[in-house]
Amino acid sequence: MDKVAIVTGAARGIGLATTDLFLEMGWRVAMVDRDGHELALAAGPREGVLAVERDVSDPKAVDAMTRDVLAWGGQIDALINNAGVAEFGPVGDTDFAMWRRVMETNLDGVFLCTQACTDALKATRGSIVNIASISGLRASTLRVAYGTSKAAVIQLSKQHSAELGEFGIRVNCVAPGPVRTKLAMAVHSQEIIDAYHDALPLNRYGSEREIAEAICFLASDKASFVTGQVLAADGGFEATGVGLPALRKT
């Protein structure tokens, strides 16, 4: 275990699946989450991990996170900016407080963690993978704050790739489509599930593991000449328009 990854939002979902895949690859993982209870439950049975209860939207907490990880692991080889919040609602119902809650974690957190880890990543010529969303590539209803935050993450990834490349740091972005997480299945009605299936060439939701595979590929040496890219792991959602349901009926 000679490589160290930081995974934010690691207590559940895509972050936890990414943690497990890194561990299978022989990496050590600093699992970062602000939900201390869920983080302890997730980290407890796993070997080769450090549980770091921090809020990525707080600059002082992010600096402390970086110190904790370096004291434990001695280096940082990959930063996975996965922590995010999702608050949906019509534009008219999106007040500034909601807007800021979404931006603080989804966008500010990516900026703060990247700034805090850059020196350590220079030393290892490491990589950064930011987790955006298909909602950052195409507009959708009820996502004015969420979608805008994820579009900004995509642009921030490109900005960082342009400036950090000379230090050997690669910066890429994964934009997941609909993923079968516990949260999604709890809030998506059958009507919403059917609508997603109708819009996806692969005709299904993705899995947390499938998104983790894309993340760990971009973080690994297998993607050593890949930077500034956005990989939509979305079942073809971003690539298509109308017509799939009618085609399937024929």
Side-chain angles (χ1 to χ4, degrees):
M1 291 188 179
D2 59 343
K3 289 194 173 186
V4 176
I6 295 176
V7 180
T8 69
R12 58 176 67 79
I14 292 169
L16 185 56
T18 301
T19 295
D20 285 337
L21 185 51
F22 270 126
L23 293 174
E24 290 175 26
M25 293 164 57
W27 291 46
R28 289 177 290 166
V29 181
M31 302 175 64
V32 180
D33 208 288
R34 67 184 182 187
D35 187 335
H37 176 69
E38 286 297 319
L39 180 61
L41 291 176
R46 290 170 168 81
E47 296 183 359
V49 303
L50 173 71
V52 183
E53 183 183 349
R54 302 288 184 187
D55 184 345
V56 298
S57 69
D58 180 346
K60 292 182 179 179
V62 170
D63 287 342
M65 171 203 78
T66 307
R67 291 194 299 270
D68 291 345
V69 175
L70 288 172
W72 169 71
Q75 64 193 61
I76 300 171
D77 297 273
L79 168 65
I80 313 302
N81 284 310
N82 169 71
V85 298
E87 294 193 45
F88 302 143
V91 171
D93 294 340
T94 302
D95 60 19
F96 187 65
M98 173 181 167
W99 175 272
R100 284 307 310 151
R101 284 195 300 272
V102 173
M103 294 297 170
E104 284 172 358
T105 297
N106 293 7
L107 181 58
D108 298 352
V110 174
F111 173 79
L112 291 170
C113 289
T114 300
Q115 296 292 95
C117 293
T118 292
D119 285 344
L121 289 166
K122 286 179 182 179
T124 59
R125 300 179 71 85
S127 63
I128 300 169
V129 183
N130 297 325
I131 312 308
S133 168
I134 201 66
S135 294
L137 290 171
R138 59 187 295 182
S140 180
T141 56
L142 310 181
R143 288 167 169 80
V144 64
Y146 181 78
T148 303
S149 75
K150 293 301 188 177
V153 167
I154 290 170
Q155 181 63 23
L156 184 60
S157 302
K158 294 180 179 182
Q159 292 290 151
H160 278 135
S161 73
E163 294 199 32
L164 299 181
E166 65 181 283
F167 303 108
I169 300 174
R170 297 179 299 103
V171 187
N172 292 290
C173 192
V174 173
V179 179
R180 186 172 287 276
T181 63
K182 290 181 180 179
L183 177 60
M185 292 302 98
V187 301
H188 286 188
S189 66
Q190 189 60 49
E191 183 180 10
I192 292 174
I193 293 171
D194 291 343
Y196 270 125
H197 285 193
D198 284 346
L200 292 164
L202 292 185
N203 200 24
R204 65 176 177 84
Y205 279 50
S207 70
E208 295 164 351
R209 175 69 179 219
E210 287 175 311
I211 308 304
E213 292 280 3
I215 294 166
C216 290
F217 163 71
L218 289 174
S220 75
D221 292 339
K222 293 180 179 180
S224 58
F225 198 54
V226 180
T227 194
Q229 300 304 303
V230 181
L231 175 56
D234 66 350
F237 187 35
E238 197 268 336
T240 57
V242 299
L244 285 175
L247 175 66
R248 288 174 179 144
K249 289 177 181 178
T250 63

